[in-house]
Amino acid sequence: MSEAVLELNCHVEQTAGYPLYGAQLAAAEALRRRLQHAKLGLLIAECGSGKSKVGSLALQAYFLQKHRKCLHLVLCPSHMTGKWVRELDETIPNSLSAVVQSPEDFDALYAEYIRGSRTVFAVLSKETARDGYMRRPAVRWSVIKRGFICPDCGSVIQMEFVDCGKKTLVDATPDYFRTETRSNRKCDCCGAVLWTATTAEEQSEWVRISHVGYVHRRFAGQALKTCKTTAAKKQLDELERNPNRFMTARGACRRFPLSTYIKNKYRDKIDGLIADELHQFAANSGQGDAMGELFAAAKKCIGMTATLINGYASGIFYLLYRTCSQLMQQDGQAFAAQSHFAREYGVIEDTYTVTEGGYNSNRRAVKRKKRSRQRPGVSPLVYSRFLLESGVFLTLTDMGTELPEYEEIPVPLRLPERQQKAYDELEHAFHAIFKDRSREGRRLAQKLLSTSLNLLMAYPDQPYGHKPVVHPVTRNPLVVPQSSGAPDKETEKDLRTMELIREKVAAGERVLLYVNWVRLDSRTRLKCFLADAGIRAEIMEDTVPPRGREAWVAEKLRQGMQVMITNPGLVETGRASVRTPYFV
């Protein structure tokens, strides 16, 4: 064990009140040694194993050998920026940590770094790192040409139209520009970009409607016919009645991506990068590109995650290309050929369909169709070729027996007789529809499959208030759910949940109650039942900004919150603020 790691561990014990476990120190030492020979070190550790302290300690221990101040970046989810500042203050002596949200903030922090003698950590959220300006279509409607024209050359924009498997070019429709895609990004005649920046004060031909996309003022009525959400229908209706009305583009402001700014201006000045929750940058997305730019700007990088691969070979392709592109190129992998990597290192299911001709047809009448689909499974060669030398693995069991016990206990319950009968009727009704093996029956089954699954999964928790399932074409009711309960009546599941919560609250504990189905009224019902029982409960909505969720929890705890009800997706990363979780 190096002296730098042991020295930093003593600082952690003095500031946080506890030292790191032996397994954590071993992982930090392994990462420090890895950084001596390579740019990237990966920490793959279970949730709750202290990745933030281990990663920051390893990075600082490596640079302590140079005996100089350093400038580091931390890239993490937005609701964990405050937590990272606290963790760094506890782990790194003589350091300054601050959350950076704009280029101006980073310039000010860099100026403080130049003036002072302390190591500086700039904490960036993954959303802020890639924030840019909002773009809208730049094409204009021409009354003379009766089509959308390019803003540069004036030619009519065309799109591909498939009819019976045959592709033809037709004039672009308004729906073609709902969102920016690769096909509608540039003009085929002159190559000009067909999208431009927009601001909240700008009045243009195109209006951005939530859950719909960009809609041309002249054709708002066409979009209204296919719109499904109530709020969007209201906006489109107002736009159709008054096409020239001013509509503010919410969230539209001119920003330069922070990651690009840091890469261009501070490329040779960034010493280290800590990429937390590394698996969230594995996709071919803007946030993934932001991580790639910061990785290119830093001299050393530590990536931390609990789930490096999502089970598919393609789930790690772009991450490998951003962090070890040289190895990928030596292996013959091209950035534009993700399917080749998935076929070589993953599991691909190829389905062949052969349709023979009639008894008097020749071989040219035989039709063959191939369909490829990726299946779960990753070759061990991915680990041996790309991760073996850079990965450090840490589990909770590696730390010994001093950790608190954790156990998941499923609690089986039975539906009341009346509710079980109504549920069986729903199941039989859908089964009768899916039994029809005719062509129309199969098409109907495909369209109702998602609806049936959602309804059958939601009905036990909310056996009331469900709308009839209608035919997608005729709109005639096919399945009518019967109400077998009431909002103010406790179900067997509610009674058991209340019993467990009372038991924990009586013992002086706080309870974290997870509710997956937020579209149901389960959260509000549970809060009312808890209030009637004299228990202080609060609901964390998704309207609480991610950056302010930790402060929201702290404030509610100060006010006496005993039970927090939330969707698990809102607190899926970071350290939990309350101890005992229950799932509903």
mmCIF file of all heavy atoms in Angstrom, residues 137 141 148 159 171-179 206 214-216 218-220 222-223:
data_model
loop_
_atom_site.group_PDB
_atom_site.id
_atom_site.type_symbol
_atom_site.label_atom_id
_atom_site.label_comp_id
_atom_site.label_asym_id
_atom_site.label_seq_id
_atom_site.Cartn_x
_atom_site.Cartn_y
_atom_site.Cartn_z
ATOM 1 N N PRO A 137 -36.777 23.888 -37.269
ATOM 2 C CA PRO A 137 -36.609 23.809 -38.724
ATOM 3 C C PRO A 137 -36.392 25.199 -39.329
ATOM 4 O O PRO A 137 -37.047 26.179 -38.939
ATOM 5 C CB PRO A 137 -37.932 23.201 -39.198
ATOM 6 C CG PRO A 137 -38.487 22.508 -37.999
ATOM 7 C CD PRO A 137 -38.054 23.314 -36.822
ATOM 8 N N TRP A 141 -42.266 27.639 -45.914
ATOM 9 C CA TRP A 141 -43.326 27.208 -46.824
ATOM 10 C C TRP A 141 -43.448 28.204 -47.970
ATOM 11 O O TRP A 141 -43.543 29.412 -47.758
ATOM 12 C CB TRP A 141 -44.653 27.106 -46.089
ATOM 13 C CG TRP A 141 -45.825 26.837 -47.002
ATOM 14 C CD1 TRP A 141 -46.758 27.723 -47.441
ATOM 15 C CD2 TRP A 141 -46.167 25.581 -47.595
ATOM 16 N NE1 TRP A 141 -47.663 27.119 -48.269
ATOM 17 C CE2 TRP A 141 -47.324 25.799 -48.382
ATOM 18 C CE3 TRP A 141 -45.604 24.313 -47.542
ATOM 19 C CZ2 TRP A 141 -47.920 24.769 -49.092
ATOM 20 C CZ3 TRP A 141 -46.205 23.297 -48.274
ATOM 21 C CH2 TRP A 141 -47.351 23.527 -49.018
ATOM 22 N N PHE A 148 -42.140 22.946 -48.958
ATOM 23 C CA PHE A 148 -41.140 23.507 -48.061
ATOM 24 C C PHE A 148 -39.822 23.638 -48.813
ATOM 25 O O PHE A 148 -39.345 22.665 -49.422
ATOM 26 C CB PHE A 148 -40.959 22.606 -46.829
ATOM 27 C CG PHE A 148 -42.167 22.572 -45.951
ATOM 28 C CD1 PHE A 148 -43.050 21.495 -45.988
ATOM 29 C CD2 PHE A 148 -42.449 23.611 -45.087
ATOM 30 C CE1 PHE A 148 -44.160 21.456 -45.181
ATOM 31 C CE2 PHE A 148 -43.564 23.582 -44.268
ATOM 32 C CZ PHE A 148 -44.427 22.509 -44.318
ATOM 33 N N MET A 159 -38.709 13.957 -49.540
ATOM 34 C CA MET A 159 -38.488 12.866 -48.595
ATOM 35 C C MET A 159 -38.829 11.548 -49.271
ATOM 36 O O MET A 159 -39.514 11.512 -50.296
ATOM 37 C CB MET A 159 -39.356 13.054 -47.337
ATOM 38 C CG MET A 159 -40.845 12.935 -47.603
ATOM 39 S SD MET A 159 -41.832 13.089 -46.091
ATOM 40 C CE MET A 159 -43.469 12.659 -46.695
ATOM 41 N N ASP A 171 -42.660 15.365 -52.215
ATOM 42 C CA ASP A 171 -42.450 16.605 -51.473
ATOM 43 C C ASP A 171 -42.651 16.363 -49.986
ATOM 44 O O ASP A 171 -43.567 15.639 -49.563
ATOM 45 C CB ASP A 171 -43.420 17.683 -51.953
ATOM 46 C CG ASP A 171 -43.091 18.148 -53.375
ATOM 47 O OD1 ASP A 171 -42.001 17.803 -53.867
ATOM 48 O OD2 ASP A 171 -43.937 18.820 -53.987
ATOM 49 N N ALA A 172 -41.792 16.955 -49.162
ATOM 50 C CA ALA A 172 -41.824 16.740 -47.719
ATOM 51 C C ALA A 172 -43.109 17.295 -47.110
ATOM 52 O O ALA A 172 -43.597 18.360 -47.502
ATOM 53 C CB ALA A 172 -40.617 17.408 -47.067
ATOM 54 N N THR A 173 -43.654 16.557 -46.169
ATOM 55 C CA THR A 173 -44.853 16.970 -45.450
ATOM 56 C C THR A 173 -44.452 17.674 -44.155
ATOM 57 O O THR A 173 -43.297 17.588 -43.716
ATOM 58 C CB THR A 173 -45.716 15.744 -45.123
ATOM 59 O OG1 THR A 173 -44.963 14.865 -44.256
ATOM 60 C CG2 THR A 173 -46.095 14.994 -46.394
ATOM 61 N N PRO A 174 -45.364 18.362 -43.483
ATOM 62 C CA PRO A 174 -45.024 19.018 -42.213
ATOM 63 C C PRO A 174 -44.556 18.034 -41.144
ATOM 64 O O PRO A 174 -43.704 18.374 -40.317
ATOM 65 C CB PRO A 174 -46.336 19.705 -41.809
ATOM 66 C CG PRO A 174 -47.093 19.872 -43.082
ATOM 67 C CD PRO A 174 -46.728 18.721 -43.936
ATOM 68 N N ASP A 175 -45.105 16.803 -41.174
ATOM 69 C CA ASP A 175 -44.688 15.809 -40.173
ATOM 70 C C ASP A 175 -43.225 15.410 -40.331
ATOM 71 O O ASP A 175 -42.615 14.898 -39.383
ATOM 72 C CB ASP A 175 -45.563 14.550 -40.287
ATOM 73 C CG ASP A 175 -47.008 14.841 -39.940
ATOM 74 O OD1 ASP A 175 -47.263 15.899 -39.335
ATOM 75 O OD2 ASP A 175 -47.883 14.022 -40.275
ATOM 76 N N TYR A 176 -42.654 15.642 -41.498
ATOM 77 C CA TYR A 176 -41.268 15.264 -41.763
ATOM 78 C C TYR A 176 -40.295 16.045 -40.875
ATOM 79 O O TYR A 176 -39.179 15.600 -40.609
ATOM 80 C CB TYR A 176 -40.972 15.514 -43.240
ATOM 81 C CG TYR A 176 -39.618 15.048 -43.711
ATOM 82 C CD1 TYR A 176 -39.248 13.710 -43.616
ATOM 83 C CD2 TYR A 176 -38.712 15.945 -44.276
ATOM 84 C CE1 TYR A 176 -38.004 13.274 -44.067
ATOM 85 C CE2 TYR A 176 -37.467 15.515 -44.735
ATOM 86 C CZ TYR A 176 -37.126 14.184 -44.615
ATOM 87 O OH TYR A 176 -35.905 13.751 -45.064
ATOM 88 N N PHE A 177 -40.731 17.210 -40.397
ATOM 89 C CA PHE A 177 -39.858 18.073 -39.608
ATOM 90 C C PHE A 177 -40.293 18.153 -38.144
ATOM 91 O O PHE A 177 -39.997 19.136 -37.458
ATOM 92 C CB PHE A 177 -39.835 19.486 -40.216
ATOM 93 C CG PHE A 177 -39.317 19.540 -41.618
ATOM 94 C CD1 PHE A 177 -40.195 19.610 -42.694
ATOM 95 C CD2 PHE A 177 -37.959 19.495 -41.864
ATOM 96 C CE1 PHE A 177 -39.722 19.660 -43.988
ATOM 97 C CE2 PHE A 177 -37.479 19.541 -43.177
ATOM 98 C CZ PHE A 177 -38.361 19.612 -44.241
ATOM 99 N N ARG A 178 -41.007 17.133 -37.667
ATOM 100 C CA ARG A 178 -41.398 17.136 -36.257
ATOM 101 C C ARG A 178 -40.164 17.172 -35.349
ATOM 102 O O ARG A 178 -40.103 17.925 -34.391
ATOM 103 C CB ARG A 178 -42.237 15.892 -35.949
ATOM 104 C CG ARG A 178 -43.627 15.916 -36.564
ATOM 105 C CD ARG A 178 -44.555 16.831 -35.787
ATOM 106 N NE ARG A 178 -45.862 16.941 -36.393
ATOM 107 C CZ ARG A 178 -46.861 16.090 -36.178
ATOM 108 N NH1 ARG A 178 -46.668 15.052 -35.367
ATOM 109 N NH2 ARG A 178 -48.021 16.260 -36.757
ATOM 110 N N THR A 179 -39.186 16.323 -35.639
ATOM 111 C CA THR A 179 -37.934 16.279 -34.886
ATOM 112 C C THR A 179 -36.773 16.222 -35.868
ATOM 113 O O THR A 179 -36.939 15.809 -37.025
ATOM 114 C CB THR A 179 -37.875 15.057 -33.955
ATOM 115 O OG1 THR A 179 -38.013 13.855 -34.727
ATOM 116 C CG2 THR A 179 -38.953 15.118 -32.897
ATOM 117 N N TRP A 206 -42.499 27.936 -37.418
ATOM 118 C CA TRP A 206 -42.607 26.668 -36.711
ATOM 119 C C TRP A 206 -42.804 26.897 -35.214
ATOM 120 O O TRP A 206 -42.165 27.765 -34.622
ATOM 121 C CB TRP A 206 -41.358 25.811 -36.938
ATOM 122 C CG TRP A 206 -41.169 25.436 -38.377
ATOM 123 C CD1 TRP A 206 -40.502 26.141 -39.338
ATOM 124 C CD2 TRP A 206 -41.676 24.271 -39.018
ATOM 125 N NE1 TRP A 206 -40.543 25.499 -40.535
ATOM 126 C CE2 TRP A 206 -41.260 24.335 -40.375
ATOM 127 C CE3 TRP A 206 -42.424 23.181 -38.600
ATOM 128 C CZ2 TRP A 206 -41.578 23.353 -41.299
ATOM 129 C CZ3 TRP A 206 -42.736 22.195 -39.513
ATOM 130 C CH2 TRP A 206 -42.318 22.286 -40.841
ATOM 131 N N TYR A 214 -42.232 19.859 -33.605
ATOM 132 C CA TYR A 214 -42.437 21.124 -34.311
ATOM 133 C C TYR A 214 -43.605 21.006 -35.282
ATOM 134 O O TYR A 214 -43.714 20.041 -36.034
ATOM 135 C CB TYR A 214 -41.162 21.532 -35.047
ATOM 136 C CG TYR A 214 -40.141 22.168 -34.122
ATOM 137 C CD1 TYR A 214 -39.091 21.422 -33.601
ATOM 138 C CD2 TYR A 214 -40.251 23.502 -33.755
ATOM 139 C CE1 TYR A 214 -38.160 22.000 -32.747
ATOM 140 C CE2 TYR A 214 -39.342 24.086 -32.899
ATOM 141 C CZ TYR A 214 -38.300 23.335 -32.395
ATOM 142 O OH TYR A 214 -37.397 23.908 -31.541
ATOM 143 N N VAL A 215 -44.443 22.028 -35.251
ATOM 144 C CA VAL A 215 -45.652 22.075 -36.086
ATOM 145 C C VAL A 215 -45.641 23.390 -36.846
ATOM 146 O O VAL A 215 -45.380 24.461 -36.277
ATOM 147 C CB VAL A 215 -46.923 21.971 -35.224
ATOM 148 C CG1 VAL A 215 -48.167 22.138 -36.082
ATOM 149 C CG2 VAL A 215 -46.958 20.641 -34.489
ATOM 150 N N HIS A 216 -45.910 23.317 -38.138
ATOM 151 C CA HIS A 216 -46.003 24.537 -38.944
ATOM 152 C C HIS A 216 -47.344 25.213 -38.675
ATOM 153 O O HIS A 216 -48.389 24.555 -38.585
ATOM 154 C CB HIS A 216 -45.856 24.205 -40.428
ATOM 155 C CG HIS A 216 -45.566 25.402 -41.276
ATOM 156 N ND1 HIS A 216 -46.566 26.213 -41.779
ATOM 157 C CD2 HIS A 216 -44.391 25.948 -41.694
ATOM 158 C CE1 HIS A 216 -46.024 27.187 -42.482
ATOM 159 N NE2 HIS A 216 -44.698 27.057 -42.461
ATOM 160 N N ARG A 218 -49.270 26.896 -40.498
ATOM 161 C CA ARG A 218 -50.260 26.749 -41.556
ATOM 162 C C ARG A 218 -50.970 25.399 -41.494
ATOM 163 O O ARG A 218 -52.117 25.271 -41.950
ATOM 164 C CB ARG A 218 -49.556 26.918 -42.917
ATOM 165 C CG ARG A 218 -50.477 26.917 -44.113
ATOM 166 C CD ARG A 218 -49.658 26.949 -45.393
ATOM 167 N NE ARG A 218 -50.514 27.028 -46.570
ATOM 168 C CZ ARG A 218 -50.828 28.149 -47.201
ATOM 169 N NH1 ARG A 218 -50.357 29.301 -46.750
ATOM 170 N NH2 ARG A 218 -51.588 28.131 -48.270
ATOM 171 N N PHE A 219 -50.301 24.384 -40.903
ATOM 172 C CA PHE A 219 -50.831 23.017 -40.917
ATOM 173 C C PHE A 219 -51.095 22.496 -39.504
ATOM 174 O O PHE A 219 -50.934 21.311 -39.231
ATOM 175 C CB PHE A 219 -49.858 22.085 -41.639
ATOM 176 C CG PHE A 219 -49.528 22.527 -43.036
ATOM 177 C CD1 PHE A 219 -48.348 23.202 -43.290
ATOM 178 C CD2 PHE A 219 -50.416 22.299 -44.084
ATOM 179 C CE1 PHE A 219 -48.028 23.612 -44.576
ATOM 180 C CE2 PHE A 219 -50.104 22.713 -45.372
ATOM 181 C CZ PHE A 219 -48.913 23.381 -45.624
ATOM 182 N N ALA A 220 -51.488 23.380 -38.598
ATOM 183 C CA ALA A 220 -51.785 22.958 -37.229
ATOM 184 C C ALA A 220 -52.978 22.013 -37.184
ATOM 185 O O ALA A 220 -53.054 21.119 -36.337
ATOM 186 C CB ALA A 220 -52.053 24.172 -36.344
ATOM 187 N N GLN A 222 -53.771 19.647 -39.302
ATOM 188 C CA GLN A 222 -53.362 18.281 -39.617
ATOM 189 C C GLN A 222 -52.752 17.594 -38.402
ATOM 190 O O GLN A 222 -53.004 16.419 -38.144
ATOM 191 C CB GLN A 222 -52.362 18.299 -40.779
ATOM 192 C CG GLN A 222 -52.927 18.805 -42.090
ATOM 193 C CD GLN A 222 -51.912 18.755 -43.210
ATOM 194 O OE1 GLN A 222 -50.845 18.145 -43.069
ATOM 195 N NE2 GLN A 222 -52.225 19.404 -44.336
ATOM 196 N N ALA A 223 -51.945 18.334 -37.657
ATOM 197 C CA ALA A 223 -51.344 17.755 -36.450
ATOM 198 C C ALA A 223 -52.385 17.504 -35.378
ATOM 199 O O ALA A 223 -52.267 16.566 -34.590
ATOM 200 C CB ALA A 223 -50.249 18.682 -35.927
#
